[in-house]
Amino acid sequence: MSLPEFRLTAASATLPAADQKPLRRLHMITWGCQMNVYDSGKMADVLAPLGYGPADGPADADMVILNTCHIRERATDKVFSELGRLRVIKEARAADGKQTILAVAGCVAQAEGAFITERAPYVDIVLGPQTYHRLPEMVARAHRAAGPVIETDFPVEQKFDFLPETAPSQDRAVTAFLTIQEGCDKFCSFCVVPYTRGAEASRPAAAVIAEARHLVSLGAREITLLGQNVNAYHGAGADGRDWGLARLAYALADIPGLDRIRYTTSHPSDMDDALIAAHAEIPALMPFLHLPVQSGSDRILAAMNRRHTADAYRRLIDKLRTTRPDMAFSSDFIIGHPGETTADFDATLQLIRDVGFAQAYSFKYSPRPGTPAAGAPGMVAEAEKDRRLSELQILVREQQDDFNARTVGLEIPVLVTGPGRHAGQIGGRSPYLQAVHMDGPISLAGQIVPVKVDSLMTNSLSATLLNASPRQERASA
């Protein structure tokens, strides 16, 4: 899987009920994609019945969890660097008679396993992404055991069958993530996901719909469906048949109050006709699709085991735009995959020019131990990767600026998500996932309002709030 967003966030646990005081404090640090953010919330929900509430920071926490990502370069080194800082805090708290449980979760935990506790013996728990539902048991074992608790297997039971509903919090989010699928069977040459998240598995449709209804009851108006290969979704439906993502989207669109539906991350090979048609037939399905291509060279796509060609990707984009003309696209590009020549890179630039992206994420190739590409010949020099990456990013930035510039002067519907950057401002999202800021009352949070785009900011749009009118999701850009 390729991931559309990489960031470091510090997140606290879901708050306990207002009339309950937390018995213990939990602090979470989350690296990586939206799925990791979702997983962190689920771990907090699992621990809430044990009395864990939010901590202001690691120094105040009885338990600290690092939810890790293995996609970026030197991911393991970054984890151990953070663990070194947490060790100091743990030892200081121990000197005051306070116990701190330190846990490493996520894909680095899955990939490294016992090596983490060998190198950092002060870590109490190491748990892979498929074992979060066992966290209360692990905490109990950590309290009574002399050694570390390591859970990095792929259990027979699906973790989603054991995870609780999302608990209500004081901050009712207007937008929410909902994982519907995990794992990947594609085995791209550069990717660790099949090894850290396992084979593709989809949640039953009824469970997804129930969680979506619950999120809407908590205030969500936009839900992003998550999966390592989300459009490969094949969950059991109420009719006894497997549902694809299109069928699931139709069902979710019937939930009162759910105004917008998104999904990420998709594979071009799993973009079937039913899902393409759904974009024209479901107003709630947003006209913005993250569809990673990785390269514009057929030779490199074959080396990556991507299972599609550059022209097949172009035809898919054309088909989507024919079905829904206002569709905008983002993508991922890996620069300097082993064996990539200047001609291969030029083919990638040409594909970008041909498609025209509203947004794109690009990265230099870096080896991941255990993946086929890690031992492949023809490694590209770092200086050349830097040069190619810079050239590509200039091109995609020009396309992004051009796309945003074409919204100036348009009236578009914006989902208000909360306060803006300045006093008296509110902020929200366009259908194309652009950040929009305007003057207006915070009481509009959770509503879709019409605005006129006035100007471009560096990474957002500045707009003027218009008089309320019937909701209209579709706008041309």
Side-chain angles (χ1 to χ4, degrees):
M1 171 194 176
S2 56
L3 299 171
E5 181 175 348
F6 299 94
R7 57 184 177 176
L8 171 63
T9 61
S12 294
T14 303
L15 294 173
D19 58 348
Q20 296 179 2
K21 272 194 164 186
L23 302 175
R24 304 177 182 90
R25 300 285 183 177
L26 170 67
H27 182 72
M28 304 188 72
I29 298 173
T30 305
W31 282 289
C33 64
Q34 296 98 325
M35 187 174 288
N36 266 18
V37 176
Y38 175 89
D39 283 347
S40 290
K42 284 300 182 184
M43 283 189 279
D45 293 340
V46 164
L47 292 170
L50 300 185
Y52 281 95
D56 294 330
D60 302 313
D62 300 292
M63 183 173 184
V64 179
I65 301 177
L66 297 183
N67 193 6
T68 62
C69 174
H70 208 281
I71 298 295
R72 296 303 296 273
E73 187 176 3
R74 301 182 63 191
T76 302
D77 291 342
K78 292 175 183 178
V79 169
F80 282 111
S81 177
E82 184 68 26
L83 285 174
R85 288 188 284 269
L86 292 173
R87 177 184 185 177
V88 175
I89 293 172
K90 180 173 181 173
E91 291 175 347
R93 283 175 52 85
D96 290 335
K98 301 174 183 176
Q99 183 183 15
T100 306
I101 293 178
L102 187 54
V104 179
C107 291
V108 171
Q110 184 69 44
E112 302 296 342
F115 174 70
I116 292 175
T117 55
E118 292 171 8
R119 182 170 167 181
Y122 47 89
V123 171
D124 302 288
I125 299 173
V126 178
L127 66 156
Q130 304 305 322
T131 62
Y132 298 154
H133 58 294
R134 298 179 179 177
L135 195 48
E137 175 192 345
M138 295 181 215
V139 171
R141 288 164 58 193
H143 275 294
R144 66 176 182 259
V149 177
I150 301 174
E151 291 268 4
T152 55
D153 59 345
F154 290 96
V156 174
E157 75 273 11
Q158 288 290 318
K159 71 179 182 184
F160 291 106
D161 294 339
F162 298 88
L163 292 174
E165 276 192 335
T166 302
S169 70
Q170 290 180 352
D171 246 357
R172 294 196 167 197
V174 174
T175 63
F177 299 132
L178 199 172
T179 293
I180 67 170
Q181 181 271 345
E182 281 197 278
C184 186
D185 296 340
K186 296 294 189 288
F187 288 90
C188 296
S189 65
F190 53 82
C191 186
V192 297
V193 166
Y195 312 102
T196 59
R197 290 274 183 171
E200 288 178 359
S202 298
R203 298 176 65 185
V208 173
I209 294 167
E211 183 167 351
R213 288 185 182 278
H214 185 64
L215 290 170
V216 170
S217 76
L218 298 179
R221 293 296 172 262
E222 174 182 292
I223 291 179
T224 301
L225 308 177
L226 302 178
Q228 266 87 28
N229 196 18
V230 71
N231 59 339
Y233 175 81
H234 54 276
D239 56 5
R241 301 178 180 180
D242 276 1
W243 286 14
L245 183 55
R247 180 68 185 86
L248 180 66
Y250 282 104
L252 292 172
D254 286 336
I255 298 176
L258 180 53
D259 299 316
R260 293 183 171 186
I261 301 169
R262 304 182 188 273
Y263 58 92
T264 194
T265 288
S266 298
H267 193 286
S269 298
D270 292 310
M271 203 75 205
D272 60 25
D273 289 343
L275 186 54
I276 293 172
H279 276 279
E281 297 170 359
I282 303 176
L285 202 54
M286 291 292 94
F288 181 85
L289 178 60
H290 184 71
L291 193 61
V293 64
Q294 306 299 358
S295 174
S297 162
D298 287 348
R299 197 176 68 83
I300 295 302
L301 288 170
M304 290 177 167
N305 194 34
R306 288 292 291 172
R307 308 184 189 188
H308 62 82
T309 65
D311 279 345
Y313 185 86
R314 289 181 176 94
R315 289 193 297 270
L316 178 58
I317 295 293
D318 289 344
K319 192 171 186 178
L320 282 157
R321 282 182 169 148
T322 299
T323 302
R324 183 156 186 179
D326 63 336
M327 183 77 79
F329 298 92
S330 66
S331 194
D332 288 349
F333 296 93
I334 293 177
I335 307 307
H337 186 276
E340 183 186 76
T341 65
T342 300
D344 294 322
F345 175 67
D346 288 342
T348 298
L349 296 181
Q350 188 58 51
L351 181 141
I352 293 171
R353 296 186 191 102
D354 292 343
V355 172
F357 292 98
Q359 196 176 99
Y361 302 87
S362 51
F363 313 97
K364 294 188 298 181
Y365 170 80
S366 58
R368 291 293 172 268
T371 59
M379 291 291 176
V380 180
E382 285 299 313
E384 179 61 14
K385 284 193 284 188
D386 288 338
R387 186 196 68 78
R388 294 178 189 177
L389 182 64
S390 176
E391 185 176 354
L392 182 144
Q393 289 180 338
I394 289 171
L395 176 59
V396 296
R397 184 69 200 198
E398 289 173 353
Q399 291 190 344
Q400 180 177 337
D401 290 345
D402 179 65
F403 177 83
N404 289 335
R406 284 185 278 127
T407 65
V408 175
L410 293 181
E411 295 182 11
I412 62 173
V414 169
L415 174 61
V416 180
T417 55
R421 293 176 177 173
H422 306 293
Q425 272 192 343
I426 52 177
R429 293 178 174 177
S430 79
Y432 309 101
L433 212 58
Q434 298 151 304
V436 184
H437 299 278
M438 71 217 84
D439 291 335
I442 192 61
S443 60
L444 291 176
Q447 297 186 36
I448 294 175
V449 298
V451 307
K452 183 176 182 180
V453 180
D454 299 320
S455 61
L456 300 180
M457 310 297 284
T458 303
N459 292 300
S460 64
L461 306 176
S462 177
T464 299
L465 184 66
L466 302 177
N467 292 330
S469 60
R471 290 178 177 177
Q472 179 68 31
E473 283 289 7
R474 192 169 294 193
S476 295

